[in-house]
Amino acid sequence: MASAKKKICIIGSGNWGSAIAKIVGNNALAMPDKFDTEVRMWVFEEMVKDRKLTEIINQDHENVKYLPGHKLPTNVLAVPGVKETGEGADIFIFVLPHQFVKGVCNQLKGNVKKDAIAVSLIKGFEVKDGGGILLISSVIRDLLNIPCAALMGANIANEVAKENYCEATIGCKHPEYGAILKDMFQADYFRIVVCDDETTVEVCGALKNIVAVGAGFADGLGYGDNTKAAVIRLGLMEMVKFCEIFYPESQQGTFLESCGVADLVTTCYGGRNRRVAEAYAKTGKSIEELEAEMLNGQKLQGPPTAYEVNYMLKAKDMEQRFPLFTAIHNICKGNLHVSKFMDCLKNHPEHM
Protein backbone atom coordinates (compact mmCIF):
# COMPACT_ATOMS: atom_id res chain seq x y z
CA MET A 1 0.00 0.00 0.00
CA ALA A 2 2.90 2.31 -0.71
CA SER A 3 1.25 4.63 -3.23
CA ALA A 4 -0.40 7.79 -1.89
CA LYS A 5 -3.63 7.47 -3.87
CA LYS A 6 -5.25 4.07 -3.70
CA LYS A 7 -6.74 2.69 -6.89
CA ILE A 8 -9.96 0.78 -6.18
CA CYS A 9 -11.53 -2.00 -8.22
CA ILE A 10 -14.77 -3.88 -7.62
CA ILE A 11 -14.95 -7.53 -8.66
CA GLY A 12 -18.66 -8.11 -9.20
CA SER A 13 -21.64 -6.01 -10.24
CA GLY A 14 -24.86 -7.58 -8.98
CA ASN A 15 -27.29 -5.59 -6.85
CA TRP A 16 -24.99 -5.53 -3.81
CA GLY A 17 -21.91 -4.84 -5.94
CA SER A 18 -23.69 -1.96 -7.66
CA ALA A 19 -24.96 -0.51 -4.37
CA ILE A 20 -21.39 -0.63 -3.02
CA ALA A 21 -20.10 0.94 -6.25
CA LYS A 22 -22.35 3.93 -5.59
CA ILE A 23 -20.84 4.47 -2.12
CA VAL A 24 -17.23 3.78 -3.09
CA GLY A 25 -17.46 5.84 -6.28
CA ASN A 26 -18.78 8.86 -4.39
CA ASN A 27 -16.11 8.48 -1.68
CA ALA A 28 -13.35 8.29 -4.29
CA LEU A 29 -14.61 11.58 -5.77
CA ALA A 30 -14.89 13.18 -2.33
CA MET A 31 -11.36 12.12 -1.24
CA PRO A 32 -9.09 12.60 -4.28
CA ASP A 33 -6.09 12.89 -1.96
CA LYS A 34 -6.67 9.32 -0.73
CA PHE A 35 -8.18 7.52 -3.72
CA ASP A 36 -7.79 7.49 -7.48
CA THR A 37 -11.06 8.93 -8.75
CA GLU A 38 -11.63 6.16 -11.35
CA VAL A 39 -13.24 3.07 -9.83
CA ARG A 40 -13.29 0.05 -12.13
CA MET A 41 -16.07 -2.50 -11.73
CA TRP A 42 -15.94 -5.94 -13.33
CA VAL A 43 -19.21 -6.69 -15.11
CA PHE A 44 -20.04 -10.10 -16.50
CA GLU A 45 -21.00 -9.05 -20.01
CA GLU A 46 -24.56 -9.73 -21.12
CA MET A 47 -27.07 -8.19 -23.47
CA VAL A 48 -29.97 -6.16 -22.10
CA LYS A 49 -32.47 -5.07 -24.76
CA ASP A 50 -29.87 -5.29 -27.55
CA ARG A 51 -27.25 -3.31 -25.62
CA LYS A 52 -24.20 -4.53 -23.73
CA LEU A 53 -24.61 -4.13 -19.99
CA THR A 54 -21.18 -2.48 -19.71
CA GLU A 55 -22.21 0.04 -22.36
CA ILE A 56 -25.44 0.85 -20.49
CA ILE A 57 -23.60 1.35 -17.20
CA ASN A 58 -20.88 3.53 -18.77
CA GLN A 59 -23.27 5.65 -20.83
CA ASP A 60 -26.41 5.79 -18.67
CA HIS A 61 -24.68 5.26 -15.29
CA GLU A 62 -27.23 2.70 -14.15
CA ASN A 63 -27.12 -1.07 -13.75
CA VAL A 64 -30.55 -1.56 -15.27
CA LYS A 65 -30.52 -5.32 -14.74
CA TYR A 66 -29.40 -5.70 -11.13
CA LEU A 67 -30.01 -2.28 -9.52
CA PRO A 68 -32.57 -0.46 -11.67
CA GLY A 69 -33.66 3.03 -10.71
CA HIS A 70 -30.41 4.02 -9.00
CA LYS A 71 -27.76 6.15 -10.67
CA LEU A 72 -24.12 5.22 -10.25
CA PRO A 73 -21.42 7.89 -10.00
CA THR A 74 -19.91 8.82 -13.36
CA ASN A 75 -16.43 7.75 -12.20
CA VAL A 76 -17.50 4.09 -11.89
CA LEU A 77 -16.26 2.39 -15.06
CA ALA A 78 -17.79 -0.95 -16.07
CA VAL A 79 -15.16 -3.30 -17.52
CA PRO A 80 -15.95 -6.71 -19.08
CA GLY A 81 -12.54 -8.29 -18.39
CA VAL A 82 -11.43 -9.39 -14.91
CA LYS A 83 -7.71 -8.83 -15.54
CA GLU A 84 -8.28 -5.37 -17.00
CA THR A 85 -10.47 -4.43 -14.02
CA GLY A 86 -7.77 -5.36 -11.53
CA GLU A 87 -4.83 -3.88 -13.44
CA GLY A 88 -2.82 -1.61 -11.14
CA ALA A 89 -5.40 -1.80 -8.33
CA ASP A 90 -4.39 -1.24 -4.70
CA ILE A 91 -7.71 -2.35 -3.21
CA PHE A 92 -9.84 -5.24 -4.48
CA ILE A 93 -13.48 -5.35 -3.38
CA PHE A 94 -14.83 -8.86 -3.98
CA VAL A 95 -18.63 -8.93 -4.23
CA LEU A 96 -19.87 -11.79 -6.40
CA PRO A 97 -21.51 -15.19 -5.77
CA HIS A 98 -19.07 -17.29 -3.76
CA GLN A 99 -19.30 -20.15 -6.27
CA PHE A 100 -17.27 -18.07 -8.76
CA VAL A 101 -14.50 -16.74 -6.50
CA LYS A 102 -11.90 -19.41 -7.21
CA GLY A 103 -12.24 -19.10 -10.99
CA VAL A 104 -12.06 -15.31 -10.89
CA CYS A 105 -9.02 -15.33 -8.59
CA ASN A 106 -7.26 -17.76 -10.92
CA GLN A 107 -7.76 -15.23 -13.74
CA LEU A 108 -6.28 -12.45 -11.57
CA LYS A 109 -3.40 -14.57 -10.27
CA GLY A 110 0.00 -13.19 -11.20
CA ASN A 111 -1.45 -9.78 -12.15
CA VAL A 112 -1.95 -8.34 -8.66
CA LYS A 113 0.36 -5.79 -7.05
CA LYS A 114 2.36 -7.25 -4.15
CA ASP A 115 1.24 -4.55 -1.74
CA ALA A 116 -2.45 -4.65 -2.72
CA ILE A 117 -5.15 -5.59 -0.22
CA ALA A 118 -8.60 -7.15 -0.62
CA VAL A 119 -11.90 -7.05 1.20
CA SER A 120 -14.58 -9.70 0.78
CA LEU A 121 -18.29 -8.86 0.86
CA ILE A 122 -19.05 -12.47 -0.10
CA LYS A 123 -21.13 -14.77 2.07
CA GLY A 124 -20.31 -18.47 1.84
CA PHE A 125 -17.57 -21.09 2.06
CA GLU A 126 -15.41 -23.14 -0.28
CA VAL A 127 -15.31 -26.91 0.28
CA LYS A 128 -11.90 -28.55 0.43
CA ASP A 129 -10.81 -32.15 0.12
CA GLY A 130 -11.03 -34.25 3.25
CA GLY A 131 -14.37 -32.92 4.52
CA GLY A 132 -13.38 -29.37 5.43
CA ILE A 133 -14.37 -25.86 4.37
CA LEU A 134 -12.43 -22.67 3.72
CA LEU A 135 -13.43 -19.08 4.34
CA ILE A 136 -13.75 -17.11 1.10
CA SER A 137 -11.21 -14.60 2.44
CA SER A 138 -8.76 -17.52 2.81
CA VAL A 139 -9.33 -18.55 -0.81
CA ILE A 140 -8.63 -14.97 -1.96
CA ARG A 141 -5.62 -14.69 0.36
CA ASP A 142 -4.10 -17.99 -0.76
CA LEU A 143 -4.64 -17.52 -4.50
CA LEU A 144 -3.62 -13.85 -4.72
CA ASN A 145 -1.11 -13.77 -1.84
CA ILE A 146 -2.50 -10.52 -0.40
CA PRO A 147 -4.26 -9.68 2.90
CA CYS A 148 -8.07 -9.95 2.82
CA ALA A 149 -10.52 -8.37 5.27
CA ALA A 150 -14.30 -8.94 5.39
CA LEU A 151 -17.29 -6.56 5.36
CA MET A 152 -20.64 -7.93 6.54
CA GLY A 153 -23.78 -6.37 7.96
CA ALA A 154 -27.53 -5.89 7.92
CA ASN A 155 -27.49 -4.58 4.37
CA ILE A 156 -30.32 -5.25 1.93
CA ALA A 157 -28.80 -3.85 -1.28
CA ASN A 158 -31.85 -1.91 -2.49
CA GLU A 159 -32.22 -0.18 0.89
CA VAL A 160 -28.54 0.79 0.87
CA ALA A 161 -28.95 2.15 -2.66
CA LYS A 162 -31.92 4.23 -1.44
CA GLU A 163 -29.59 5.65 1.23
CA ASN A 164 -31.65 4.28 4.11
CA TYR A 165 -29.48 4.40 7.23
CA CYS A 166 -27.70 1.14 8.04
CA GLU A 167 -24.55 -0.27 9.57
CA ALA A 168 -21.84 -2.73 8.54
CA THR A 169 -18.89 -4.38 10.23
CA ILE A 170 -15.39 -4.65 8.79
CA GLY A 171 -13.33 -7.47 10.22
CA CYS A 172 -9.69 -6.62 9.71
CA LYS A 173 -6.63 -7.81 11.62
CA HIS A 174 -4.45 -4.95 10.36
CA PRO A 175 -5.42 -1.56 11.92
CA GLU A 176 -3.81 0.48 9.12
CA TYR A 177 -5.82 -1.38 6.46
CA GLY A 178 -8.99 -1.12 8.54
CA ALA A 179 -8.70 2.68 8.59
CA ILE A 180 -8.32 2.84 4.79
CA LEU A 181 -11.28 0.52 4.24
CA LYS A 182 -13.44 2.55 6.64
CA ASP A 183 -12.68 5.72 4.66
CA MET A 184 -13.55 3.92 1.43
CA PHE A 185 -16.91 2.52 2.58
CA GLN A 186 -18.35 4.88 5.19
CA ALA A 187 -21.12 7.32 4.28
CA ASP A 188 -23.61 9.42 6.23
CA TYR A 189 -26.15 6.63 5.77
CA PHE A 190 -23.69 3.70 5.90
CA ARG A 191 -21.96 3.49 9.28
CA ILE A 192 -18.86 1.32 9.50
CA VAL A 193 -17.46 -0.28 12.65
CA VAL A 194 -14.04 -1.95 12.36
CA CYS A 195 -13.09 -4.86 14.60
CA ASP A 196 -10.13 -7.23 14.56
CA ASP A 197 -12.26 -10.41 14.73
CA GLU A 198 -12.00 -10.99 10.99
CA THR A 199 -13.08 -14.64 11.15
CA THR A 200 -16.31 -14.25 13.13
CA VAL A 201 -17.43 -11.31 10.98
CA GLU A 202 -17.12 -13.48 7.88
CA VAL A 203 -18.57 -16.67 9.36
CA CYS A 204 -21.66 -14.78 10.59
CA GLY A 205 -22.22 -13.45 7.07
CA ALA A 206 -22.18 -16.95 5.63
CA LEU A 207 -24.20 -18.83 8.26
CA LYS A 208 -27.05 -16.33 8.56
CA ASN A 209 -28.16 -17.18 5.01
CA ILE A 210 -28.78 -20.79 6.07
CA VAL A 211 -30.98 -19.57 8.93
CA ALA A 212 -32.83 -17.24 6.54
CA VAL A 213 -33.79 -20.26 4.43
CA GLY A 214 -35.28 -21.82 7.56
CA ALA A 215 -37.21 -18.60 8.26
CA GLY A 216 -38.57 -18.76 4.71
CA PHE A 217 -39.70 -22.36 5.23
CA ALA A 218 -41.59 -21.28 8.37
CA ASP A 219 -43.24 -18.44 6.44
CA GLY A 220 -44.18 -20.73 3.56
CA LEU A 221 -45.70 -23.27 5.95
CA GLY A 222 -47.96 -20.53 7.31
CA TYR A 223 -46.42 -19.95 10.73
CA GLY A 224 -46.18 -16.50 12.27
CA ASP A 225 -43.63 -14.28 13.93
CA ASN A 226 -43.40 -16.37 17.11
CA THR A 227 -42.19 -19.33 15.06
CA LYS A 228 -39.80 -17.18 13.09
CA ALA A 229 -38.35 -15.83 16.35
CA ALA A 230 -37.69 -19.43 17.41
CA VAL A 231 -35.94 -20.13 14.08
CA ILE A 232 -33.78 -17.03 14.55
CA ARG A 233 -32.89 -17.91 18.16
CA LEU A 234 -32.04 -21.53 17.41
CA GLY A 235 -30.14 -20.46 14.30
CA LEU A 236 -28.10 -17.99 16.35
CA MET A 237 -27.34 -20.73 18.87
CA GLU A 238 -25.97 -22.92 16.07
CA MET A 239 -23.98 -20.02 14.61
CA VAL A 240 -22.34 -19.39 18.00
CA LYS A 241 -21.67 -23.09 18.55
CA PHE A 242 -20.21 -23.44 15.04
CA CYS A 243 -17.72 -20.65 15.77
CA GLU A 244 -16.86 -22.08 19.20
CA ILE A 245 -16.05 -25.49 17.73
CA PHE A 246 -14.40 -24.65 14.42
CA TYR A 247 -13.06 -21.13 15.03
CA PRO A 248 -12.14 -21.08 18.75
CA GLU A 249 -10.41 -17.71 18.38
CA SER A 250 -13.78 -16.08 17.67
CA GLN A 251 -15.13 -13.47 20.10
CA GLN A 252 -18.75 -13.68 21.26
CA GLY A 253 -19.03 -9.89 21.36
CA THR A 254 -18.78 -9.84 17.55
CA PHE A 255 -22.24 -11.43 17.35
CA LEU A 256 -23.65 -8.15 18.74
CA GLU A 257 -22.18 -6.14 15.86
CA SER A 258 -24.10 -5.50 12.63
CA CYS A 259 -22.54 -8.60 11.05
CA GLY A 260 -24.16 -10.79 13.71
CA VAL A 261 -27.63 -10.47 15.24
CA ALA A 262 -28.62 -7.46 13.09
CA ASP A 263 -27.76 -9.16 9.79
CA LEU A 264 -29.44 -12.37 10.94
CA VAL A 265 -32.73 -10.62 11.78
CA THR A 266 -32.72 -8.53 8.59
CA THR A 267 -32.08 -11.54 6.39
CA CYS A 268 -34.78 -13.60 8.09
CA TYR A 269 -37.39 -10.91 7.35
CA GLY A 270 -36.15 -9.68 3.95
CA GLY A 271 -33.74 -10.85 1.29
CA ARG A 272 -33.80 -13.40 -1.47
CA ASN A 273 -33.00 -16.52 0.59
CA ARG A 274 -36.09 -16.09 2.75
CA ARG A 275 -38.28 -15.24 -0.27
CA VAL A 276 -37.26 -18.24 -2.34
CA ALA A 277 -37.50 -20.61 0.64
CA GLU A 278 -41.05 -19.39 1.32
CA ALA A 279 -41.98 -20.08 -2.32
CA TYR A 280 -40.35 -23.51 -2.08
CA ALA A 281 -42.57 -24.44 0.88
CA LYS A 282 -45.68 -23.11 -0.89
CA THR A 283 -45.17 -24.38 -4.45
CA GLY A 284 -43.15 -27.58 -4.23
CA LYS A 285 -40.93 -26.37 -7.09
CA SER A 286 -37.20 -27.00 -6.80
CA ILE A 287 -34.81 -24.39 -5.41
CA GLU A 288 -33.13 -24.22 -8.84
CA GLU A 289 -36.45 -23.56 -10.62
CA LEU A 290 -37.40 -20.81 -8.19
CA GLU A 291 -33.97 -19.19 -8.38
CA ALA A 292 -34.34 -18.97 -12.17
CA GLU A 293 -37.93 -17.67 -11.95
CA MET A 294 -37.60 -15.16 -9.12
CA LEU A 295 -34.10 -13.68 -9.07
CA ASN A 296 -33.47 -12.14 -12.48
CA GLY A 297 -30.06 -13.75 -12.81
CA GLN A 298 -29.00 -13.35 -9.18
CA LYS A 299 -27.78 -16.35 -7.19
CA LEU A 300 -28.94 -17.76 -3.86
CA GLN A 301 -26.30 -18.20 -1.17
CA GLY A 302 -28.27 -20.03 1.54
CA PRO A 303 -28.72 -23.50 -0.05
CA PRO A 304 -25.12 -23.84 -1.32
CA THR A 305 -23.78 -22.63 2.04
CA ALA A 306 -25.99 -25.19 3.81
CA TYR A 307 -24.42 -27.84 1.56
CA GLU A 308 -20.88 -26.63 2.30
CA VAL A 309 -21.47 -26.62 6.05
CA ASN A 310 -23.11 -30.05 5.90
CA TYR A 311 -20.18 -31.39 3.88
CA MET A 312 -17.94 -30.71 6.87
CA LEU A 313 -20.43 -31.68 9.59
CA LYS A 314 -21.08 -35.02 7.91
CA ALA A 315 -17.37 -35.75 7.51
CA LYS A 316 -16.83 -35.01 11.21
CA ASP A 317 -19.97 -36.94 12.30
CA MET A 318 -21.44 -33.77 13.80
CA GLU A 319 -24.74 -33.38 11.96
CA GLN A 320 -26.72 -34.19 15.12
CA ARG A 321 -25.07 -31.28 16.95
CA PHE A 322 -26.47 -28.83 14.37
CA PRO A 323 -30.03 -30.06 13.75
CA LEU A 324 -31.31 -26.80 12.22
CA PHE A 325 -28.46 -26.48 9.70
CA THR A 326 -28.77 -30.19 8.89
CA ALA A 327 -32.54 -30.12 8.35
CA ILE A 328 -32.32 -27.04 6.11
CA HIS A 329 -29.68 -28.72 3.95
CA ASN A 330 -31.69 -31.92 3.66
CA ILE A 331 -34.87 -30.04 2.72
CA CYS A 332 -33.03 -28.01 0.06
CA LYS A 333 -31.64 -31.23 -1.41
CA GLY A 334 -35.04 -32.95 -1.41
CA ASN A 335 -33.93 -35.56 1.16
CA LEU A 336 -36.49 -34.32 3.70
CA HIS A 337 -39.96 -32.92 3.05
CA VAL A 338 -40.36 -29.29 4.07
CA SER A 339 -43.35 -30.21 6.25
CA LYS A 340 -40.87 -31.97 8.57
CA PHE A 341 -39.06 -28.70 9.28
CA MET A 342 -41.09 -28.07 12.44
CA ASP A 343 -39.92 -31.39 13.92
CA CYS A 344 -36.39 -30.06 13.87
CA LEU A 345 -37.49 -27.01 15.89
CA LYS A 346 -39.55 -29.01 18.40
CA ASN A 347 -36.77 -31.54 18.98
CA HIS A 348 -33.91 -29.05 19.09
CA PRO A 349 -31.81 -29.55 22.25
CA GLU A 350 -32.25 -26.91 24.96
CA HIS A 351 -28.51 -26.66 25.46
CA MET A 352 -25.86 -27.12 22.83
Side-chain angles (χ1 to χ4, degrees):
M1 298 293 290
S3 60
K5 292 185 179 185
K6 307 299 183 282
K7 188 170 181 60
I8 303 164
C9 76
I10 302 170
I11 306 298
S13 56
N15 67 335
W16 187 213
S18 297
I20 282 298
K22 179 182 173 184
I23 292 173
V24 170
N26 282 327
N27 283 347
L29 287 175
M31 292 180 268
D33 56 323
K34 292 184 178 180
F35 303 108
D36 190 306
T37 53
E38 182 184 85
V39 175
R40 293 186 176 187
M41 177 172 72
W42 175 57
V43 175
F44 181 78
E45 192 69 278
E46 53 189 308
M47 300 301 291
V48 180
K49 294 182 180 177
D50 299 323
R51 292 176 71 194
K52 291 179 178 178
L53 185 54
T54 52
E55 178 186 294
I56 295 170
I57 292 171
N58 290 334
Q59 293 179 2
D60 302 347
H61 308 295
E62 182 182 348
N63 188 335
V64 294
K65 177 152 188 187
Y66 297 111
L67 196 68
H70 298 281
K71 289 293 182 183
L72 299 178
T74 57
N75 61 318
V76 173
L77 179 69
V79 180
V82 175
K83 284 184 185 177
E84 188 186 348
T85 305
E87 190 177 348
D90 298 294
I91 304 174
F92 287 79
I93 301 170
F94 282 88
V95 53
L96 69 164
H98 73 279
Q99 302 94 309
F100 306 129
V101 172
K102 202 169 182 179
V104 166
C105 283
N106 280 327
Q107 290 183 63
L108 289 166
K109 205 172 177 181
N111 295 288
V112 174
K113 291 169 70 172
K114 288 182 180 177
D115 60 350
I117 64 171
V119 56
S120 171
L121 280 61
I122 299 166
K123 299 171 178 179
F125 300 100
E126 172 85 15
V127 299
K128 64 177 182 178
D129 294 338
I133 56 177
L134 291 169
L135 296 173
I136 296 301
S137 63
S138 297
V139 175
I140 295 167
R141 221 175 276 127
D142 294 346
L143 288 175
L144 302 185
N145 199 29
I146 58 174
C148 185
L151 181 148
M152 306 285 157
N155 309 136
I156 302 288
N158 283 30
E159 294 184 19
V160 175
K162 288 177 185 174
E163 303 188 8
N164 292 353
Y165 178 81
C166 62
E167 301 174 316
T169 313
I170 292 177
C172 185
K173 292 175 182 174
H174 306 279
E176 68 276 23
Y177 299 157
I180 294 163
L181 296 175
K182 183 171 182 173
D183 281 342
M184 184 175 72
F185 285 115
Q186 184 150 275
D188 289 344
Y189 60 91
F190 194 61
R191 181 174 181 260
I192 298 292
V193 173
V194 181
C195 74
D196 62 3
D197 191 7
E198 213 169 75
T199 299
T200 310
V201 170
E202 185 171 0
V203 174
C204 281
L207 296 181
K208 58 95 185 183
N209 279 329
I210 304 177
V211 185
V213 172
F217 291 156
D219 287 341
L221 291 167
Y223 293 96
D225 286 341
N226 293 345
T227 304
K228 190 183 284 191
V231 173
I232 292 170
R233 187 187 74 82
L234 296 172
L236 180 61
M237 282 176 62
E238 294 197 9
M239 288 168 63
V240 172
K241 180 57 68 177
F242 191 90
C243 284
E244 284 177 356
I245 293 173
F246 300 113
Y247 303 99
E249 75 278 13
S250 68
Q251 302 163 24
Q252 285 215 359
T254 308
F255 287 94
L256 298 179
E257 298 292 346
S258 182
C259 62
V261 174
D263 195 9
L264 176 62
V265 171
T266 298
T267 310
C268 287
Y269 278 90
R272 68 190 78 153
N273 290 285
R274 189 217 61 80
R275 258 192 315 127
V276 172
E278 179 183 18
Y280 177 86
K282 285 180 173 177
T283 66
K285 293 181 180 179
S286 72
I287 294 288
E288 292 77 16
E289 283 178 291
L290 292 166
E291 184 182 61
E293 285 178 19
M294 297 174 65
L295 298 185
N296 191 34
Q298 295 178 75
K299 293 292 180 185
L300 281 180
Q301 298 304 304
T305 303
Y307 161 76
E308 290 144 12
V309 166
N310 186 261
Y311 174 80
M312 183 167 76
L313 294 179
K314 196 167 190 175
K316 296 182 182 297
D317 195 25
M318 296 182 74
E319 286 179 297
Q320 71 284 357
R321 295 192 65 179
F322 296 88
L324 186 74
F325 289 172
T326 301
I328 290 166
H329 164 69
N330 283 326
I331 291 168
C332 288
K333 284 295 180 186
N335 302 329
L336 183 69
H337 195 271
V338 69
S339 62
K340 300 291 184 184
F341 179 62
M342 296 311 298
D343 294 342
C344 133
L345 300 186
K346 293 171 186 174
N347 300 323
H348 203 283
E350 287 184 24
H351 303 287
M352 295 185 69

